[in-house]
Amino acid sequence: MHIRHANEHDVAGIANVHVNSWKTTYKGIVDDSFLGKLSAADRIEGWRWKLANMPEDEQLLVIADEDGEVYGFMSYGTEREHKISHEGELYAIYLLEEIQGKGWGKQLFARLKEFLQVKGYRSLLVWVLEGNKAEHFYKYMGGQELKRKEIVIGGKTHTEMALLWSSIDRIRPFS
């Protein structure tokens, strides 16, 4: 497997990883009936549009095997809300459960850090749903809790945390 920039042939794979990761990651956090209604087929057009309309300041990477099957992805770019005034934001990182804990997230973070350096960004922000085990990964990689907000998923209120790397130099190196 390798990491590369996503292309139009990856859309169905990205949608599949997105939905299946939600179903495993948020089980017991988000309402089961909401998770049960998620469908990769419903996400394909959104990802197709995203790839076709990706701004220059964003990237979408995939982890894929030699046959092109997608096992994970990461999306990032300029901080979307422009409210926290930090330059970079990790929008999404999803890996199928079978490749989690095998170093792929760290490798994706190394690519993210390169992007931030090239763009001249000094900091990074990510929002993570409370209870998501990725929170521990982000903190391991150097993120520090900045603030919290309430969001609604499937008609229920959840807490989302903003984690910040005030300097991209604080992103733990891949080893």
Side-chain angles (χ1 to χ4, degrees):
M1 286 199 292
H2 58 281
I3 297 172
R4 62 172 170 72
H5 288 274
N7 63 54
E8 64 275 0
H9 303 291
D10 298 320
V11 171
I14 292 168
N16 178 60
V17 168
H18 193 186
V19 167
N20 285 315
S21 292
W22 261 74
K23 289 181 177 187
T24 58
T25 300
Y26 297 120
K27 185 171 180 58
I29 299 170
V30 173
D31 190 66
D32 286 344
S33 65
F34 177 83
L35 293 175
K37 293 176 188 172
L38 294 178
S39 159
D42 292 342
R43 302 271 174 139
I44 289 174
E45 285 310 311
W47 282 110
R48 189 180 322 279
W49 185 91
K50 175 76 172 165
L51 270 171
N53 296 284
M54 185 144 335
E56 278 187 33
D57 65 346
E58 291 184 20
Q59 287 188 351
L60 176 58
L61 302 177
V62 294
I63 301 168
D65 66 14
E66 293 72 29
D67 296 326
E69 186 174 348
V70 176
Y71 288 82
F73 70 89
M74 179 186 241
S75 171
Y76 51 83
T78 303
E79 195 243 316
R80 294 176 284 194
E81 294 181 5
H82 303 289
K83 291 181 180 176
I84 300 175
S85 74
H86 301 287
E87 302 97 352
E89 181 176 353
L90 170 55
Y91 306 143
I93 179 171
Y94 291 105
L95 308 177
L96 291 178
E97 197 169 43
E98 64 203 72
I99 68 162
Q100 292 176 13
K102 297 185 178 182
W104 289 105
K106 292 177 187 175
Q107 289 185 53
L108 286 169
F109 253 80
R111 296 283 296 268
L112 168 60
K113 186 174 181 177
E114 289 172 15
F115 171 84
L116 297 169
Q117 289 169 328
V118 166
K119 291 290 185 184
Y121 292 168
R122 297 178 307 268
S123 60
L124 174 66
L125 175 77
V126 65
W127 287 97
V128 60
L129 197 60
E130 187 175 54
N132 181 341
K133 60 187 172 188
E135 174 190 348
H136 303 292
F137 171 73
Y138 296 139
K139 288 180 177 177
Y140 170 82
M141 294 303 292
Q144 308 255 322
E145 186 174 332
L146 178 66
K147 69 180 199 171
R148 293 172 178 244
K149 69 179 179 182
E150 301 297 309
I151 63 168
V152 176
I153 301 173
K156 297 196 176 171
T157 302
H158 297 273
T159 301
E160 199 172 38
M161 291 176 277
L163 299 177
L164 174 70
W165 289 259
S166 58
S167 166
I168 62 168
D169 294 332
R170 293 179 181 230
I171 297 173
R172 188 178 199 130
F174 172 68
S175 54

PDB file of all heavy atoms in Angstrom, residues 15-35:
ATOM      1  N   ALA A  15     -15.716   7.152  -0.407  1.00  0.00           N
ATOM      2  CA  ALA A  15     -17.058   7.104   0.188  1.00  0.00           C
ATOM      3  C   ALA A  15     -17.218   5.866   1.062  1.00  0.00           C
ATOM      4  O   ALA A  15     -17.793   5.938   2.160  1.00  0.00           O
ATOM      5  CB  ALA A  15     -18.124   7.138  -0.908  1.00  0.00           C
ATOM      6  N   ASN A  16     -16.702   4.745   0.610  1.00  0.00           N
ATOM      7  CA  ASN A  16     -16.779   3.499   1.376  1.00  0.00           C
ATOM      8  C   ASN A  16     -16.004   3.625   2.701  1.00  0.00           C
ATOM      9  O   ASN A  16     -16.510   3.259   3.759  1.00  0.00           O
ATOM     10  CB  ASN A  16     -16.229   2.339   0.544  1.00  0.00           C
ATOM     11  CG  ASN A  16     -16.246   1.048   1.319  1.00  0.00           C
ATOM     12  OD1 ASN A  16     -17.285   0.569   1.755  1.00  0.00           O
ATOM     13  ND2 ASN A  16     -15.065   0.476   1.512  1.00  0.00           N
ATOM     14  N   VAL A  17     -14.781   4.126   2.632  1.00  0.00           N
ATOM     15  CA  VAL A  17     -13.976   4.305   3.845  1.00  0.00           C
ATOM     16  C   VAL A  17     -14.665   5.287   4.784  1.00  0.00           C
ATOM     17  O   VAL A  17     -14.735   5.055   5.998  1.00  0.00           O
ATOM     18  CB  VAL A  17     -12.549   4.783   3.500  1.00  0.00           C
ATOM     19  CG1 VAL A  17     -11.804   5.245   4.756  1.00  0.00           C
ATOM     20  CG2 VAL A  17     -11.770   3.681   2.791  1.00  0.00           C
ATOM     21  N   HIS A  18     -15.194   6.369   4.231  1.00  0.00           N
ATOM     22  CA  HIS A  18     -15.862   7.386   5.038  1.00  0.00           C
ATOM     23  C   HIS A  18     -17.000   6.776   5.860  1.00  0.00           C
ATOM     24  O   HIS A  18     -17.070   6.921   7.078  1.00  0.00           O
ATOM     25  CB  HIS A  18     -16.369   8.491   4.119  1.00  0.00           C
ATOM     26  CG  HIS A  18     -16.795   9.731   4.819  1.00  0.00           C
ATOM     27  ND1 HIS A  18     -17.385  10.780   4.165  1.00  0.00           N
ATOM     28  CD2 HIS A  18     -16.735  10.116   6.119  1.00  0.00           C
ATOM     29  CE1 HIS A  18     -17.658  11.742   5.028  1.00  0.00           C
ATOM     30  NE2 HIS A  18     -17.274  11.359   6.222  1.00  0.00           N
ATOM     31  N   VAL A  19     -17.884   6.061   5.194  1.00  0.00           N
ATOM     32  CA  VAL A  19     -19.051   5.481   5.859  1.00  0.00           C
ATOM     33  C   VAL A  19     -18.650   4.357   6.809  1.00  0.00           C
ATOM     34  O   VAL A  19     -19.099   4.316   7.961  1.00  0.00           O
ATOM     35  CB  VAL A  19     -20.083   4.996   4.819  1.00  0.00           C
ATOM     36  CG1 VAL A  19     -21.140   4.113   5.457  1.00  0.00           C
ATOM     37  CG2 VAL A  19     -20.730   6.196   4.130  1.00  0.00           C
ATOM     38  N   ASN A  20     -17.804   3.441   6.364  1.00  0.00           N
ATOM     39  CA  ASN A  20     -17.421   2.323   7.227  1.00  0.00           C
ATOM     40  C   ASN A  20     -16.626   2.779   8.438  1.00  0.00           C
ATOM     41  O   ASN A  20     -16.765   2.207   9.524  1.00  0.00           O
ATOM     42  CB  ASN A  20     -16.687   1.249   6.437  1.00  0.00           C
ATOM     43  CG  ASN A  20     -17.651   0.448   5.589  1.00  0.00           C
ATOM     44  OD1 ASN A  20     -18.708   0.052   6.056  1.00  0.00           O
ATOM     45  ND2 ASN A  20     -17.315   0.238   4.331  1.00  0.00           N
ATOM     46  N   SER A  21     -15.805   3.804   8.267  1.00  0.00           N
ATOM     47  CA  SER A  21     -15.073   4.351   9.411  1.00  0.00           C
ATOM     48  C   SER A  21     -16.019   4.992  10.416  1.00  0.00           C
ATOM     49  O   SER A  21     -15.833   4.847  11.623  1.00  0.00           O
ATOM     50  CB  SER A  21     -14.039   5.378   8.945  1.00  0.00           C
ATOM     51  OG  SER A  21     -13.020   4.745   8.216  1.00  0.00           O
ATOM     52  N   TRP A  22     -17.023   5.702   9.924  1.00  0.00           N
ATOM     53  CA  TRP A  22     -18.022   6.278  10.829  1.00  0.00           C
ATOM     54  C   TRP A  22     -18.703   5.163  11.627  1.00  0.00           C
ATOM     55  O   TRP A  22     -18.903   5.289  12.821  1.00  0.00           O
ATOM     56  CB  TRP A  22     -19.061   7.080  10.033  1.00  0.00           C
ATOM     57  CG  TRP A  22     -18.794   8.542  10.050  1.00  0.00           C
ATOM     58  CD1 TRP A  22     -17.816   9.201   9.370  1.00  0.00           C
ATOM     59  CD2 TRP A  22     -19.511   9.524  10.789  1.00  0.00           C
ATOM     60  NE1 TRP A  22     -17.881  10.539   9.639  1.00  0.00           N
ATOM     61  CE2 TRP A  22     -18.923  10.762  10.502  1.00  0.00           C
ATOM     62  CE3 TRP A  22     -20.604   9.481  11.645  1.00  0.00           C
ATOM     63  CZ2 TRP A  22     -19.380  11.953  11.063  1.00  0.00           C
ATOM     64  CZ3 TRP A  22     -21.056  10.663  12.192  1.00  0.00           C
ATOM     65  CH2 TRP A  22     -20.454  11.885  11.912  1.00  0.00           C
ATOM     66  N   LYS A  23     -19.059   4.089  10.944  1.00  0.00           N
ATOM     67  CA  LYS A  23     -19.798   3.010  11.607  1.00  0.00           C
ATOM     68  C   LYS A  23     -18.967   2.321  12.687  1.00  0.00           C
ATOM     69  O   LYS A  23     -19.514   1.888  13.698  1.00  0.00           O
ATOM     70  CB  LYS A  23     -20.302   1.999  10.574  1.00  0.00           C
ATOM     71  CG  LYS A  23     -21.435   2.563   9.731  1.00  0.00           C
ATOM     72  CD  LYS A  23     -21.956   1.571   8.722  1.00  0.00           C
ATOM     73  CE  LYS A  23     -23.139   2.174   7.969  1.00  0.00           C
ATOM     74  NZ  LYS A  23     -23.785   1.209   7.085  1.00  0.00           N
ATOM     75  N   THR A  24     -17.658   2.210  12.492  1.00  0.00           N
ATOM     76  CA  THR A  24     -16.820   1.577  13.515  1.00  0.00           C
ATOM     77  C   THR A  24     -16.334   2.578  14.554  1.00  0.00           C
ATOM     78  O   THR A  24     -16.338   2.277  15.740  1.00  0.00           O
ATOM     79  CB  THR A  24     -15.609   0.849  12.874  1.00  0.00           C
ATOM     80  OG1 THR A  24     -14.833   1.778  12.116  1.00  0.00           O
ATOM     81  CG2 THR A  24     -16.075  -0.292  11.992  1.00  0.00           C
ATOM     82  N   THR A  25     -15.954   3.763  14.119  1.00  0.00           N
ATOM     83  CA  THR A  25     -15.402   4.769  15.033  1.00  0.00           C
ATOM     84  C   THR A  25     -16.446   5.323  15.979  1.00  0.00           C
ATOM     85  O   THR A  25     -16.176   5.528  17.162  1.00  0.00           O
ATOM     86  CB  THR A  25     -14.774   5.933  14.232  1.00  0.00           C
ATOM     87  OG1 THR A  25     -13.727   5.403  13.413  1.00  0.00           O
ATOM     88  CG2 THR A  25     -14.213   7.002  15.149  1.00  0.00           C
ATOM     89  N   TYR A  26     -17.641   5.567  15.482  1.00  0.00           N
ATOM     90  CA  TYR A  26     -18.660   6.245  16.284  1.00  0.00           C
ATOM     91  C   TYR A  26     -19.696   5.313  16.895  1.00  0.00           C
ATOM     92  O   TYR A  26     -20.655   5.780  17.512  1.00  0.00           O
ATOM     93  CB  TYR A  26     -19.324   7.354  15.469  1.00  0.00           C
ATOM     94  CG  TYR A  26     -18.333   8.425  15.070  1.00  0.00           C
ATOM     95  CD1 TYR A  26     -18.081   8.720  13.745  1.00  0.00           C
ATOM     96  CD2 TYR A  26     -17.615   9.121  16.037  1.00  0.00           C
ATOM     97  CE1 TYR A  26     -17.154   9.691  13.385  1.00  0.00           C
ATOM     98  CE2 TYR A  26     -16.688  10.089  15.687  1.00  0.00           C
ATOM     99  CZ  TYR A  26     -16.467  10.365  14.357  1.00  0.00           C
ATOM    100  OH  TYR A  26     -15.543  11.321  14.012  1.00  0.00           O
ATOM    101  N   LYS A  27     -19.486   4.001  16.761  1.00  0.00           N
ATOM    102  CA  LYS A  27     -20.391   3.045  17.406  1.00  0.00           C
ATOM    103  C   LYS A  27     -20.319   3.260  18.917  1.00  0.00           C
ATOM    104  O   LYS A  27     -19.251   3.322  19.498  1.00  0.00           O
ATOM    105  CB  LYS A  27     -19.987   1.609  17.055  1.00  0.00           C
ATOM    106  CG  LYS A  27     -20.947   0.580  17.601  1.00  0.00           C
ATOM    107  CD  LYS A  27     -20.623  -0.794  17.043  1.00  0.00           C
ATOM    108  CE  LYS A  27     -21.552  -1.859  17.553  1.00  0.00           C
ATOM    109  NZ  LYS A  27     -22.943  -1.645  17.282  1.00  0.00           N
ATOM    110  N   GLY A  28     -21.474   3.437  19.543  1.00  0.00           N
ATOM    111  CA  GLY A  28     -21.519   3.713  20.972  1.00  0.00           C
ATOM    112  C   GLY A  28     -21.380   5.190  21.317  1.00  0.00           C
ATOM    113  O   GLY A  28     -21.530   5.569  22.477  1.00  0.00           O
ATOM    114  N   ILE A  29     -21.087   6.015  20.315  1.00  0.00           N
ATOM    115  CA  ILE A  29     -20.973   7.464  20.520  1.00  0.00           C
ATOM    116  C   ILE A  29     -22.156   8.159  19.850  1.00  0.00           C
ATOM    117  O   ILE A  29     -22.856   8.947  20.460  1.00  0.00           O
ATOM    118  CB  ILE A  29     -19.636   7.998  19.955  1.00  0.00           C
ATOM    119  CG1 ILE A  29     -18.451   7.331  20.666  1.00  0.00           C
ATOM    120  CG2 ILE A  29     -19.565   9.513  20.096  1.00  0.00           C
ATOM    121  CD1 ILE A  29     -17.105   7.616  20.014  1.00  0.00           C
ATOM    122  N   VAL A  30     -22.345   7.846  18.581  1.00  0.00           N
ATOM    123  CA  VAL A  30     -23.444   8.392  17.785  1.00  0.00           C
ATOM    124  C   VAL A  30     -24.552   7.338  17.739  1.00  0.00           C
ATOM    125  O   VAL A  30     -24.270   6.136  17.724  1.00  0.00           O
ATOM    126  CB  VAL A  30     -22.950   8.766  16.366  1.00  0.00           C
ATOM    127  CG1 VAL A  30     -24.098   9.181  15.467  1.00  0.00           C
ATOM    128  CG2 VAL A  30     -21.893   9.863  16.437  1.00  0.00           C
ATOM    129  N   ASP A  31     -25.789   7.784  17.703  1.00  0.00           N
ATOM    130  CA  ASP A  31     -26.952   6.900  17.709  1.00  0.00           C
ATOM    131  C   ASP A  31     -26.843   5.823  16.621  1.00  0.00           C
ATOM    132  O   ASP A  31     -26.565   6.128  15.463  1.00  0.00           O
ATOM    133  CB  ASP A  31     -28.209   7.750  17.505  1.00  0.00           C
ATOM    134  CG  ASP A  31     -29.470   6.961  17.730  1.00  0.00           C
ATOM    135  OD1 ASP A  31     -29.707   6.542  18.876  1.00  0.00           O
ATOM    136  OD2 ASP A  31     -30.206   6.754  16.737  1.00  0.00           O
ATOM    137  N   ASP A  32     -27.084   4.567  17.007  1.00  0.00           N
ATOM    138  CA  ASP A  32     -26.983   3.440  16.082  1.00  0.00           C
ATOM    139  C   ASP A  32     -27.908   3.576  14.880  1.00  0.00           C
ATOM    140  O   ASP A  32     -27.551   3.181  13.766  1.00  0.00           O
ATOM    141  CB  ASP A  32     -27.284   2.115  16.794  1.00  0.00           C
ATOM    142  CG  ASP A  32     -26.150   1.666  17.695  1.00  0.00           C
ATOM    143  OD1 ASP A  32     -25.020   2.180  17.558  1.00  0.00           O
ATOM    144  OD2 ASP A  32     -26.399   0.792  18.547  1.00  0.00           O
ATOM    145  N   SER A  33     -29.091   4.141  15.087  1.00  0.00           N
ATOM    146  CA  SER A  33     -30.024   4.276  13.965  1.00  0.00           C
ATOM    147  C   SER A  33     -29.476   5.262  12.932  1.00  0.00           C
ATOM    148  O   SER A  33     -29.656   5.072  11.724  1.00  0.00           O
ATOM    149  CB  SER A  33     -31.412   4.698  14.444  1.00  0.00           C
ATOM    150  OG  SER A  33     -31.387   5.991  14.999  1.00  0.00           O
ATOM    151  N   PHE A  34     -28.784   6.306  13.379  1.00  0.00           N
ATOM    152  CA  PHE A  34     -28.157   7.256  12.462  1.00  0.00           C
ATOM    153  C   PHE A  34     -27.051   6.549  11.669  1.00  0.00           C
ATOM    154  O   PHE A  34     -26.983   6.652  10.445  1.00  0.00           O
ATOM    155  CB  PHE A  34     -27.585   8.455  13.220  1.00  0.00           C
ATOM    156  CG  PHE A  34     -26.859   9.429  12.345  1.00  0.00           C
ATOM    157  CD1 PHE A  34     -27.548  10.394  11.630  1.00  0.00           C
ATOM    158  CD2 PHE A  34     -25.477   9.375  12.219  1.00  0.00           C
ATOM    159  CE1 PHE A  34     -26.878  11.285  10.799  1.00  0.00           C
ATOM    160  CE2 PHE A  34     -24.796  10.253  11.403  1.00  0.00           C
ATOM    161  CZ  PHE A  34     -25.499  11.213  10.688  1.00  0.00           C
ATOM    162  N   LEU A  35     -26.193   5.818  12.382  1.00  0.00           N
ATOM    163  CA  LEU A  35     -25.094   5.116  11.719  1.00  0.00           C
ATOM    164  C   LEU A  35     -25.616   4.067  10.735  1.00  0.00           C
ATOM    165  O   LEU A  35     -25.046   3.894   9.655  1.00  0.00           O
ATOM    166  CB  LEU A  35     -24.188   4.447  12.763  1.00  0.00           C
ATOM    167  CG  LEU A  35     -23.408   5.387  13.676  1.00  0.00           C
ATOM    168  CD1 LEU A  35     -22.662   4.593  14.743  1.00  0.00           C
ATOM    169  CD2 LEU A  35     -22.455   6.272  12.879  1.00  0.00           C
TER     170      LEU A  35
END
